């Protein structure tokens, strides 16, 4: 038997339940979960805000642990019992849809997100497809590696696949759960890094993360004007899940500048075509990343000493941990430690 933290109905509280341990099927492995980050998108599953959610639901897609048992065919792919692995938003792909046939697995039309397609990591064990596995470097703890599999890879990929090149002015909007990693990555990638957040009191923290400049979005000078006074941002990485805040910085882009949106908000952004056309600007949404992208993120993080700021609680305290994530009262990433 093993324990899971599950929600029995839409929007309900978490409860601890027991499940029978099952042999992983062909192409799958069972993972002993050592840490699982709590992501704001887990709330989509708890509230059935995406199609196909079946209750009870076990969320969790920032998983780190060790392989506990191999299904048929996984040993031939190089995996062994005891290997340290992470599984993120990319929890496996179908391999046959058009994006998969084009090699663009992260936008698979049948993407297998843990907590949605199968039980997630709010549990002592999780069974996942082998193509979802990312090998964790020795330098990273499980509590560090879990958030890297979703929050970390999303920010890392958003920057490295952007139009920015070393030396370019790159701004990170928001220095919360995503943005505090974004500032660290941007500085390590060689960008002239600007952190944008609410309040003058966050300036010192932004500098500690590696920012070369700080803009208080509540100050007298609009953030877009402040960016233009520096020459305009080649890239703005919008990590804040606030459409109004994102809209307010668009005019801070340089010519051919790129707005990379990773902060989710259902409200529309107020961008008009003229803002884009006259300067050749681009707006791009960016999803997470494949298992190999997660490996790249973790290895880059280990090399440059980049870590998420986390607060860990045991599985029994899942409701407290979840509420701290929702309220924003936690350190930047909440992590459950089932074992």
């Amino acid at each position: 038997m093993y324990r899971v933290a599950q929600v029995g109905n839409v929007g309900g509280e978490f409860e601890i339940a027991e499940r029978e341990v099952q042999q992983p099927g062909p192409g799958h492995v069972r993972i002993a979960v050592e840490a699982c980050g709590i992501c704001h998108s887990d709330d989509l599953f708890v509230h059935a805000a995406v199609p196909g959610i079946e209750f009870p639901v076990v969320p969790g897609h920032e998983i780190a642990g060790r392989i506990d048992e191999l299904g048929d065919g996984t040993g031939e792919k190089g995996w062994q019992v005891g290997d340290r692995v992470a599984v993120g938003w990319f929890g496996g792909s179908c391999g046959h849809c058009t994006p998969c046939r084009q090699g663009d697995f992260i936008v698979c039309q049948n993407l297998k997100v843990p907590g949605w397609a199968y039980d997630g990591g709010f549990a002592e064990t999780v069974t996942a497809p082998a193509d979802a596995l990312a090998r964790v470097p020795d330098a990273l703890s499980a509590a560090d590696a879990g958030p890297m599999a979703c929050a970390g890879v999303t920010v890392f990929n958003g920057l490295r696949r952007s139009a920015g090149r070393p030396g370019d002015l790159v701004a990170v909007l928001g220095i919360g759960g995503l943005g505090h990693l974004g500032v660290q990555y941007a500085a390590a990638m060689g960008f002239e890094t600007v952190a944008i957040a609410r309040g003058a009191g966050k300036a010192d923290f932004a500098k500690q993360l590696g920012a070369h400049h700080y803009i208080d979005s509540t100050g007298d000078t609009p953030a877009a004007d402040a960016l233009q006074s520096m020459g305009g941002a080649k890239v703005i990485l919008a990590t804040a899940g606030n459409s109004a805040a994102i809209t307010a910085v668009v005019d801070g882009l340089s010519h051919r500048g790129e707005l990379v949106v990773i902060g989710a908000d259902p409200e529309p952004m107020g961008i008009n075509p003229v803002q884009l056309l006259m300067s050749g600007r681009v707006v791009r949404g960016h999803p997470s990343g494949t298992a190999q992208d997660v490996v790249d993120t973790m290895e880059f993080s280990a090399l440059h000493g980049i870590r998420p700021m986390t607060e860990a609680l045991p599985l029994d305290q899942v409701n407290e941990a979840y509420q701290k994530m929702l309220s924003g009262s936690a350190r930047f990433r909440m992590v459950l430690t089932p074992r």
Side-chain angles (χ1 to χ4, degrees):
M1 303 291 289
Y2 67 97
R3 299 185 308 151
V4 304
Q6 66 181 27
V7 173
N9 51 68
V10 178
E13 294 261 310
F14 284 91
E15 58 185 11
I16 303 299
E18 291 192 340
R19 302 277 179 87
E20 291 281 350
V21 176
Q22 301 290 329
Q23 167 75 27
H28 289 64
V29 304
R30 189 172 69 241
I31 301 165
V33 180
E34 296 174 347
C36 185
I38 302 177
C39 183
H40 207 280
S41 55
D42 287 318
D43 207 45
L44 297 175
F45 309 147
V46 170
H47 286 90
V50 292
I53 293 293
E54 296 183 3
F55 289 87
V57 64
V58 180
H61 56 266
E62 294 186 344
I63 304 161
R66 295 180 183 272
I67 294 178
D68 197 39
E69 188 167 359
L70 300 173
D72 289 345
T74 53
E76 290 84 348
K77 296 178 180 178
W79 298 107
Q80 298 179 11
V81 171
D83 283 349
R84 301 183 69 219
V85 295
V87 178
W89 180 265
F90 180 83
S93 56
C94 72
H96 59 74
C97 69
T98 298
C100 282
R101 288 172 63 84
Q102 293 173 340
D104 200 358
F105 301 105
I106 190 56
V107 289
C108 169
Q109 294 171 352
N110 306 290
L111 190 67
K112 302 171 185 176
V113 181
W116 188 356
Y118 53 88
D119 283 351
F122 290 12
E124 291 176 331
T125 70
V126 64
T127 299
D131 68 327
L133 303 180
R135 198 175 297 277
V136 176
D138 291 339
L140 295 185
S141 70
D144 290 334
M148 292 290 182
C150 180
V153 69
T154 302
V155 175
F156 179 77
N157 263 355
L159 287 169
R160 72 166 173 170
R161 295 184 177 175
S162 73
R165 296 295 177 264
D168 285 344
L169 190 75
V170 171
V172 178
L173 175 63
I175 51 174
L178 294 171
H180 86 287
L181 289 168
V183 173
Q184 294 179 76
Y185 286 134
M189 290 177 183
F191 301 133
E192 184 180 353
T193 303
V194 184
I196 307 172
R198 294 176 58 84
K202 296 179 181 177
D204 288 343
F205 176 60
K207 298 293 178 64
Q208 291 169 14
L209 292 173
H212 303 98
H213 312 279
Y214 177 74
I215 296 173
D216 173 10
S217 62
T218 65
D220 293 336
T221 303
D225 292 348
L227 287 173
Q228 286 299 337
S229 73
M230 301 176 197
K234 186 67 175 179
V235 174
I236 298 175
L237 182 73
T239 73
N242 185 308
S243 292
I246 297 171
T247 299
V249 298
V250 172
D251 284 332
L253 287 168
S254 68
H255 64 282
R256 301 291 181 187
E258 182 180 40
L259 174 67
V260 181
V261 181
I262 61 175
D265 185 352
E267 295 300 316
M269 294 187 296
I271 301 172
N272 68 66
V274 174
Q275 289 176 283
L276 306 179
L277 290 171
M278 301 306 291
S279 297
R281 293 165 175 160
V282 173
V283 179
R284 180 167 63 86
H286 177 74
S288 180
T290 66
Q292 183 58 52
D293 292 326
V294 175
V295 171
D296 295 346
T297 302
M298 292 191 293
E299 290 181 346
F300 186 90
S301 301
L303 182 64
H304 291 277
I306 296 171
R307 302 291 186 274
M309 297 182 68
T310 62
E311 180 179 344
L313 287 175
L315 191 66
D316 290 336
Q317 296 181 41
V318 59
N319 282 299
E320 178 185 348
Y322 201 77
Q323 289 305 314
K324 291 187 81 168
M325 179 278 294
L326 288 176
S327 68
S329 63
R331 295 187 74 185
F332 294 114
R333 308 301 300 187
M334 286 303 302
V335 175
L336 292 174
T337 51
R339 293 176 179 267

